[in-house]
Amino acid sequence: MSQQLDFTVGALLDDVAARFPDHEALVYVERGLRYSYREFNERCREVAKGLLALGIKKGDHLSIWAYNVPEWVVLQFATAKIGAVLVTVNTNYKSAELEYILKQSDSNTLFLVQSFKDTDYVATLNEVVPELAASTPGALKSAKLPFLKNVVFLGEGERPGMLGFEKLVQLGKTVPDAALAEVEASLDKHDVINMQYTSGTTGFPKGVMLTHFNVVNNGFNIGECMRFTEKDRLCIPVPFFHCFGCVLGVMACVTHGSTMVPVEVFDPLKVLTAIEQERCTAVHGVPTMFIAELEHPEFSRFDLSSLRTGIMAGSNCPIEVMRRVIRDMHASEITIAYGQTESSPVITQTRTDDPIELKVATVGRVLPNVELKIVDIETGAALPPGKQGELCTRGYLVMKGYYKMPDETAKAIDAEGWLHTGDLAVMDENGYCKITGRIKNMIIRGGENIYPREIEEFLYTHPKISDVQVYGVPDRKWGEQVMAAVVLKKGVELDEEEVREFCRGKIANYKIPRYVRFVESYPMTASGKIQKFKLREMAIRELQLAGEGA
């Protein structure tokens, strides 16, 4: 058993800043911004006092809608120092989704940037809250969002009805240090301080409530699996609004006094530049990010020899990509992590010295101080190694619950405290787990249970196939049919019949894809998870299967 940390998020930063005051905490290559841990802690304290001056209290909900700007990381700690709950809003959301999150979360404050990709955030917010432009900053009265009082703009210049971020910092100068200390002393490590909305693969997004204890300890154990110390420097190109950024990235660093080197918006060239310039020892990403870096035309001109480790997560990694990350990026100790937001988020992780076979075939073994079991889907009985069932976990990492959704919480966490992930898995005798599919993704064709992952693994062996996603589509006769969306390797051709011919005699006939379509890419969540439900919806439209039942 490794140690457990009893800090709140704010106290953790105080502790690290006292131990490594002059060590670099946060570096933004493009901005030329560098904070030592002492400076970073001071900045977080200034903003925390600004929030107090604004009237924010312990337990209040504050939303942030922004890509990886410096204010994001500062707010992660500033809000935690006063016990406010930071609600992270997906950067890809549009007006209806923004309205849903702000309303469902009861947020009284929203922090936002001007825009992201094709969305003007300020215009979008004004559409949702038409009263904003004419209101006095801090005194917003919205008909649709009665809780929302403050909007704080992250960026240069003024915006109607909004308070500028630097004005907030100025407000904090009126608050004595003793007032902040008093609030910090009143906090409990089991208080909720973070709320993330699950990538609604089914139904409406649910607000996952995470505590200081959840994220501090998960971050610590993630860092331990990578053997982080204060000498490590992590390039973080994954979004902060998702656990991959704010826990596997930020908390894994801060718990070890390591240096954070964020990339504001993913761009393979910027990642390679940051790694080289800052001599990063670690980098995070989903497989598609690593592929984009490796395939960048200028890849070979970068010196990545400082790299050692990092995390690849979000979806399974083809072995060829893993080989290149280890060989060409020098990340010989790269790790694979698996989990979900509800487990804050990592449940299992490979270790730095695991062989490559375990890094591509499994998602590692359970983190320290965490319990894991595989259970029979029908009976709930624990299964022995080698048997497929649902992966369940218990321990410090399990969320407090879904915000204002007690029934959904009860479905996810049973009476004995086990979180049911909804993922199908097999564990070997050494505790290494292989994720074999989602219970919900299971295809039932003529009474036969078909696990898409099994067919995907088989189709990966085809020399012309780069990537494949298998899912069920409705069928009047069989209930469901198997469909495969295939990404081909560059410069090759393949047709539907060749794919089916490749399967014949090698996998059961009922598993052979009835439909095959060739695609350039897949619809994804911002955290890099492929959205099979969208592939299914597209197929139903294209193949006109809407009247086929299921």
Side-chain angles (χ1 to χ4, degrees):
M1 282 292 203
S2 79
Q3 69 191 96
Q4 286 206 336
L5 303 184
D6 282 335
F7 293 113
T8 61
V9 169
L12 168 74
L13 183 56
D14 290 338
D15 176 72
V16 175
R19 287 192 291 131
F20 305 109
D22 301 319
H23 199 81
E24 283 188 329
L26 185 64
V27 175
Y28 274 81
V29 174
E30 285 182 273
R31 295 181 182 231
L33 174 77
R34 289 177 189 276
Y35 283 140
S36 68
Y37 265 101
R38 182 198 290 114
E39 291 163 339
F40 179 60
N41 192 29
E42 196 39 54
R43 179 70 170 166
C44 295
R45 287 171 52 78
E46 286 173 358
V47 174
K49 291 199 289 183
L51 296 172
L52 292 175
L54 202 59
I56 306 295
K57 295 181 177 61
K58 181 164 86 172
D60 282 355
H61 291 187
L62 287 64
S63 286
I64 180 162
W65 197 25
Y67 49 91
N68 291 6
V69 292
E71 294 90 344
W72 212 115
V73 204
V74 170
L75 281 164
Q76 185 177 344
F77 289 88
T79 51
K81 278 178 179 291
I82 63 165
V85 179
L86 190 64
V87 179
T88 64
V89 184
N90 189 317
T91 49
N92 296 306
Y93 277 176
K94 307 287 194 231
S95 58
E97 296 152 320
L98 175 70
E99 184 180 332
Y100 171 80
I101 299 291
L102 291 174
K103 186 177 248 166
Q104 206 280 333
S105 68
D106 299 324
S107 288
N108 69 19
T109 302
L110 171 66
F111 296 88
L112 82 168
V113 290
Q114 176 64 49
S115 59
F116 176 71
K117 292 188 177 169
D118 62 346
T119 307
D120 184 324
Y121 285 5
V122 172
T124 304
L125 181 63
N126 277 294
E127 192 186 312
V128 174
V129 187
E131 305 93 336
L132 178 64
S135 72
T136 307
L140 177 61
K141 286 188 172 62
S142 161
K144 281 186 193 161
L145 304 168
F147 272 87
L148 192 63
K149 295 288 174 276
N150 312 295
V151 179
V152 180
F153 182 67
L154 308 176
E156 298 294 315
E158 302 280 316
R159 298 292 182 278
M162 303 186 196
L163 186 69
F165 191 72
E166 286 308 320
K167 284 261 177 72
L168 175 75
V169 176
Q170 291 306 315
L171 279 178
K173 293 196 175 355
T174 63
V175 176
D177 288 344
L180 176 59
E182 191 181 339
V183 177
E184 275 210 77
S186 73
L187 305 181
D188 185 277
K189 66 186 178 192
H190 297 298
D191 292 337
V192 173
I193 41 100
N194 188 288
M195 216 153 88
Q196 309 207 9
Y197 279 79
T198 55
S199 339
T201 42
T202 52
F204 286 108
K206 302 186 278 282
V208 175
M209 297 187 286
L210 300 177
T211 66
H212 297 274
F213 197 61
N214 287 151
V215 299
V216 167
N217 281 285
N218 205 243
F220 175 71
N221 282 305
I222 290 161
E224 289 291 284
C225 287
M226 292 184 283
R227 296 196 302 117
F228 265 12
T229 71
E230 72 277 8
K231 294 186 176 66
D232 281 291
R233 301 171 73 81
L234 171 66
C235 179
I236 311 175
V238 290
F240 287 149
F241 75 77
H242 183 266
C243 277
F244 202 168
C246 69
V247 182
L248 287 78
V250 173
M251 296 311 295
C253 281
V254 176
T255 50
H256 291 81
S258 309
T259 305
M260 299 172 269
V261 185
V263 172
E264 293 188 35
V265 180
F266 176 71
D267 172 321
L269 199 58
K270 287 179 179 171
V271 174
L272 295 167
T273 303
I275 294 168
E276 180 181 70
Q277 282 188 19
E278 293 301 319
R279 309 302 295 147
C280 290
T281 60
V283 60
H284 286 355
V286 297
T288 49
M289 287 180 172
F290 283 100
I291 292 167
E293 289 148 21
L294 289 161
E295 292 184 354
H296 195 278
E298 292 182 56
F299 176 79
S300 60
R301 78 173 175 84
F302 288 93
D303 174 7
L304 308 177
S305 59
S306 59
L307 276 182
R308 174 182 69 81
T309 187
I311 294 174
M312 199 184 299
S315 56
N316 55 319
C317 175
I319 191 158
E320 207 35 60
V321 176
M322 181 60 79
R323 280 204 184 103
R324 288 204 60 199
V325 169
I326 290 170
R327 184 186 68 221
D328 303 344
M329 292 181 83
H330 306 282
S332 59
E333 298 183 4
I334 191 90
T335 67
I336 298 286
Y338 154 80
Q340 52 186 212
T341 313
E342 290 87 341
S343 55
S344 59
V346 175
I347 301 168
T348 66
Q349 193 170 349
T350 59
R351 306 312 198 253
T352 53
D353 54 357
D354 281 336
I356 188 169
E357 292 73 25
L358 286 175
K359 292 180 182 183
V360 291
T362 80
V363 290
R365 52 195 166 92
V366 72
L367 288 187
N369 303 320
V370 172
E371 293 177 86
L372 184 153
K373 65 177 179 179
I374 310 289
V375 303
D376 186 291
I377 299 168
E378 305 296 325
T379 66
L383 294 170
K387 294 286 185 196
Q388 175 175 265
E390 183 182 16
L391 189 150
C392 299
T393 187
R394 184 166 69 176
Y396 72 78
L397 76 178
V398 175
M399 65 170 177
K400 262 261 166 98
Y402 297 118
Y403 185 61
K404 297 195 303 189
M405 293 185 176
D407 294 349
E408 294 292 335
T409 302
K411 278 185 211 161
I413 304 169
D414 68 26
E416 290 168 353
W418 289 95
L419 173 70
H420 290 250
T421 63
D423 285 327
L424 294 165
V426 175
M427 183 162 61
D428 69 16
E429 311 74 47
N430 299 318
Y432 283 81
C433 293
K434 185 171 179 150
I435 304 300
T436 49
R438 291 277 304 154
I439 292 175
K440 286 194 281 286
N441 281 344
M442 192 168 71
I443 302 166
I444 305 177
R445 181 191 180 278
E448 293 280 6
N449 289 356
I450 301 172
Y451 299 102
R453 184 64 181 271
E454 184 189 344
I455 305 170
E456 288 164 0
E457 294 284 351
F458 172 72
L459 287 173
Y460 273 130
T461 65
H462 191 293
K464 292 183 178 178
I465 290 176
S466 169
D467 205 349
V468 60
Q469 296 295 321
V470 171
Y471 46 98
V473 292
D475 183 86
R476 190 167 287 142
K477 181 180 179 185
W478 298 100
E480 280 187 298
Q481 283 283 12
V482 178
M483 179 152 186
V486 172
V487 175
L488 292 175
K489 288 182 177 166
K490 287 197 175 75
V492 299
E493 289 182 4
L494 194 64
D495 65 29
E496 277 200 52
E497 192 44 42
E498 283 179 89
V499 173
R500 282 193 283 268
E501 191 52 45
F502 180 73
C503 297
R504 286 193 185 105
K506 299 201 189 80
I507 59 173
N509 285 344
Y510 69 84
K511 294 179 185 173
I512 296 174
R514 166 76 175 78
Y515 305 101
V516 180
R517 60 197 288 261
F518 297 96
V519 298
E520 297 291 314
S521 61
Y522 302 117
M524 290 198 178
T525 67
S527 56
K529 286 203 171 71
I530 292 161
Q531 295 171 302
K532 284 196 178 179
F533 74 102
K534 283 199 176 166
L535 285 169
R536 178 183 162 97
E537 285 166 4
M538 281 153 51
I540 289 169
R541 276 199 307 278
E542 285 170 24
L543 300 167
Q544 300 180 322
L545 300 174
E548 295 289 315

